[in-house]
């Protein structure tokens, strides 16, 4: 039996985070406290544990529940930030999204929640360096050619991630390093890019 969209998204996101947990930890060791891989793996492990129950829900409800799991299970900044992202997206998403514009509107709510929760804006070397360009790419697209749209979203994520390398962090623990934060990818931007790719890959396969 084919997986539901919801189950496929959960499985791919969990796999992406689990497979890259060591890399996320190494990135965070360079400019943070080295817990990003462990925190994300713990959070997505909690989502995996609820996988069957989540997969039986409409996507909007599953996102809200997955977001709550992240808030409850993950210490550090990443749990509340990713939790806010998923919960706000889920709240704003229609039960059966009919257009890219509808999805983009929900993602916009999620990104706004991250900015509010993190009291942050793009340019501070955070996950927003990926999320904001991906959102803008969605908003600039009419969705008439979905493979092309997904390619643009992946490219926006990759460029956003790479843009964090020369940036000096002015938010979070990495900001304590000042100029020494320059020259490293931001771990939160990396995990965001992983999740954008995981989502785009699932959608592409199901076209
Ligand atoms: Mg950390």
């Amino acid at each position: 039996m084919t997986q539901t969209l919801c189950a496929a998204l959960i499985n791919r996101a969990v796999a992406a985070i689990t497979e890259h947990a060591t890399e996320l930890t190494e990135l965070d060791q360079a400019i943070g406290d080295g817990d990003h891989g462990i925190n994300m793996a713990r959070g997505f492990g909690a989502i995996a544990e609820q996988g069957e129950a989540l997969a039986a829900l409409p996507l909007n409800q599953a996102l809200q529940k997955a977001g709550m799991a992240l808030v409850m299970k993950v210490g550090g900044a990443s749990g509340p930030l990713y939790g806010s992202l998923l919960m706000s997206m889920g709240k704003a998403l229609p039960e059966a999204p009919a257009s890219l514009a509808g999805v983009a509107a929900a993602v916009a709510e999620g990104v706004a929640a991250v900015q509010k929760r993190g009291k942050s804006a793009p340019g501070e070397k955070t996950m927003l360096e990926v999320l904001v360009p991906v959102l803008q790419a969605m908003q600039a697209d009419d969705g008439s050619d979905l493979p092309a749209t997904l390619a643009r979203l992946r490219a926006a994520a990759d460029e956003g991630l790479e843009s964090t390398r020369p940036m000096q962090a002015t938010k979070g623990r990495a900001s304590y390093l000042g100029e020494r934060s320059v020259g490293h990818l931001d771990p939160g931007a990396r995990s965001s890019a992983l999740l954008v790719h995981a989502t785009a890959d699932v959608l592409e396969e199901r076209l």
Side-chain angles (χ1 to χ4, degrees):
M1 206 181 96
T2 19
Q3 291 179 318
T4 63
L5 173 63
C6 207
L9 287 169
I10 291 167
N11 291 341
R12 195 64 64 93
V14 169
I17 293 302
T18 309
E19 284 162 19
H20 292 86
T22 305
E23 179 196 344
L24 294 174
T25 289
E26 285 167 0
L27 289 172
D28 200 29
Q29 279 167 345
I31 61 168
D33 56 0
D35 63 356
H36 192 55
I38 293 164
N39 284 339
M40 292 297 282
R42 181 181 299 139
F44 280 78
I47 290 174
E49 275 171 29
Q50 299 180 33
E52 269 184 50
L54 291 174
L57 295 172
L59 185 57
N60 57 350
Q61 291 177 35
L63 281 167
Q64 293 182 63
K65 285 219 166 189
M68 275 189 265
L70 293 182
V71 169
M72 291 193 294
K73 294 279 177 172
V74 186
S78 52
L81 291 172
Y82 276 109
S84 299
L85 176 69
L86 297 190
M87 287 192 292
S88 296
M89 265 174 56
K91 257 182 228 159
L93 198 68
E95 192 160 310
S99 67
L100 180 63
V103 177
V107 174
E109 290 296 321
V111 173
V114 172
Q115 299 210 35
K116 195 174 170 208
R117 174 61 80 115
K119 300 186 181 66
S120 57
E124 298 176 317
K125 196 176 176 110
T126 70
M127 60 199 279
L128 292 172
E129 265 48 78
V130 166
L131 297 180
V132 169
V134 168
L135 169 62
Q136 288 169 341
M138 289 179 93
Q139 290 169 329
D141 206 303
D142 65 5
S144 58
D145 179 355
L146 207 49
T149 301
L150 294 172
R152 283 193 279 273
L153 298 186
R154 287 191 191 93
D158 293 345
E159 284 164 30
L161 171 61
E162 201 49 49
S163 80
T164 66
R165 198 186 295 277
M167 276 183 193
Q168 180 170 333
T170 53
K171 207 83 206 174
R173 199 175 284 262
S175 64
Y176 306 155
L177 290 179
E179 283 177 11
R180 284 183 294 135
S181 65
V182 172
H184 301 278
L185 291 178
D186 178 66
R190 177 61 177 136
S191 53
S192 291
L194 286 169
L195 293 172
V196 171
H197 275 264
T199 305
D201 291 351
V202 168
L203 294 176
E204 180 125 55
E205 285 166 17
R206 299 175 73 94
L207 288 178

